Amino acid sequence: MVLPVLQGGRRRAITIRQLLSQLSLFLLVLIIFFSATTLFAYYTQQAHWQQQAVNWHRVLQLLDLRDENTLATWFSSILFLTASVGFVLLGWGKSKTYTINFFSRFSFQVTALALCALSADEVGSFHETVGSWFERKVIVWDGLQGMGFSWLLIFAPFALAILILCGQQLYKLINTLPDLSARRYSRALLILACILLPSVLILEALQGYWIFTKQGETVFTCLEEMFELLGMYSLFLVTLIIARQHQL
């Protein structure tokens, strides 16, 4: 798909892939920024900001990936949506060199739709709402009800299944890339994503256990959010490399 843009007072055409490529570095900078502000918010959460002219507690809250309905979670939603667009290129894109079977194309289409749903979930926190309902209506365990961590029992198997399916099809596609350096770089990014994204589920489960046992929140919540962003960004880069190689 081609989009019209203005450059130097003149209109020129730019593809979605080119637009995503231009955004890639900016996204990485924001990932580093929000990961740093989240860590800073964690280590200063006991600080007293009342004496300052600016309410720094509120500023950090807006930049904290652990909180809901903040600038940080809005960015996280945008990253999921951007990764979804990357899979749209693989699932619906066509070129002279891009020939994949129906199952591979369908897998990328399902992944694109799933990431779009996750993008909405980042803002709406639907998974935690479902988890809280599940704890109230299904799980009979004093102290657990209302925490929301039970969403893992419902959604984690589906998330892992889609990741495995997507990873397998991406790996097959990577092996067909004509450029050797692109193959190596893409494999490394895919492996990184397949390590970081499942780690998010593990850290979420551990955090639920620590809160349930009254041990409180730990720095691993910050790592969980950072792993999520970096894992999704790695998947996004893989789709971008493949799209560039095939001129999608």
Side-chain angles (χ1 to χ4, degrees), residues 35 39 147 155 163 173 196 221 235:
S35 297
L39 281 169
M147 293 172 60
F155 296 115
L163 179 62
L173 193 52
L196 292 177
T221 56
L235 272 185

Short mmCIF file of all heavy atoms in Angstrom, two decimals, residues 35 39 147 155 163 173 196 221 235:
data_model
loop_
_atom_site.label_atom_id
_atom_site.label_comp_id
_atom_site.label_asym_id
_atom_site.label_seq_id
_atom_site.Cartn_x
_atom_site.Cartn_y
_atom_site.Cartn_z
N SER A 35 11.13 2.26 29.66
CA SER A 35 11.71 1.25 30.55
C SER A 35 12.49 1.92 31.67
O SER A 35 12.41 1.51 32.84
CB SER A 35 12.63 0.31 29.76
OG SER A 35 11.92 -0.41 28.78
N LEU A 39 11.60 1.94 35.77
CA LEU A 39 12.57 1.57 36.80
C LEU A 39 12.76 2.70 37.81
O LEU A 39 12.83 2.47 39.02
CB LEU A 39 13.90 1.21 36.16
CG LEU A 39 14.02 -0.18 35.53
CD1 LEU A 39 15.29 -0.28 34.70
CD2 LEU A 39 14.01 -1.26 36.61
N MET A 147 -7.60 -10.16 42.44
CA MET A 147 -6.25 -9.77 42.07
C MET A 147 -6.07 -9.68 40.57
O MET A 147 -5.29 -8.88 40.07
CB MET A 147 -5.23 -10.76 42.66
CG MET A 147 -5.16 -10.73 44.18
SD MET A 147 -4.13 -12.07 44.84
CE MET A 147 -2.56 -11.71 44.07
N PHE A 155 -5.77 -17.03 29.17
CA PHE A 155 -5.21 -16.50 27.93
C PHE A 155 -3.79 -16.96 27.61
O PHE A 155 -3.39 -16.95 26.44
CB PHE A 155 -5.24 -14.97 27.97
CG PHE A 155 -6.62 -14.39 28.03
CD1 PHE A 155 -7.04 -13.68 29.14
CD2 PHE A 155 -7.50 -14.56 26.98
CE1 PHE A 155 -8.31 -13.14 29.21
CE2 PHE A 155 -8.78 -14.04 27.03
CZ PHE A 155 -9.19 -13.32 28.15
N LEU A 163 2.24 -17.76 19.51
CA LEU A 163 3.67 -17.46 19.41
C LEU A 163 4.42 -18.62 18.77
O LEU A 163 5.29 -18.41 17.90
CB LEU A 163 4.24 -17.16 20.79
CG LEU A 163 5.75 -16.85 20.83
CD1 LEU A 163 6.06 -15.61 20.01
CD2 LEU A 163 6.22 -16.68 22.28
N LEU A 173 10.22 -18.93 6.81
CA LEU A 173 10.32 -17.83 5.86
C LEU A 173 11.70 -17.19 5.90
O LEU A 173 12.25 -16.81 4.85
CB LEU A 173 9.24 -16.79 6.18
CG LEU A 173 8.96 -15.70 5.14
CD1 LEU A 173 8.69 -16.31 3.77
CD2 LEU A 173 7.79 -14.85 5.59
N LEU A 196 11.98 -13.70 25.31
CA LEU A 196 11.45 -12.59 26.11
C LEU A 196 9.94 -12.69 26.33
O LEU A 196 9.47 -12.48 27.46
CB LEU A 196 11.78 -11.26 25.43
CG LEU A 196 13.26 -10.86 25.40
CD1 LEU A 196 13.42 -9.56 24.63
CD2 LEU A 196 13.81 -10.71 26.81
N THR A 221 8.54 -6.72 38.14
CA THR A 221 7.43 -6.16 37.38
C THR A 221 7.94 -5.20 36.31
O THR A 221 7.38 -5.11 35.22
CB THR A 221 6.45 -5.42 38.30
OG1 THR A 221 7.17 -4.43 39.04
CG2 THR A 221 5.80 -6.37 39.28
N LEU A 235 9.96 -8.96 17.28
CA LEU A 235 9.07 -9.54 16.28
C LEU A 235 8.77 -8.54 15.16
O LEU A 235 8.74 -8.90 13.97
CB LEU A 235 7.74 -9.96 16.93
CG LEU A 235 7.64 -11.36 17.54
CD1 LEU A 235 6.22 -11.61 18.00
CD2 LEU A 235 8.09 -12.43 16.57
#
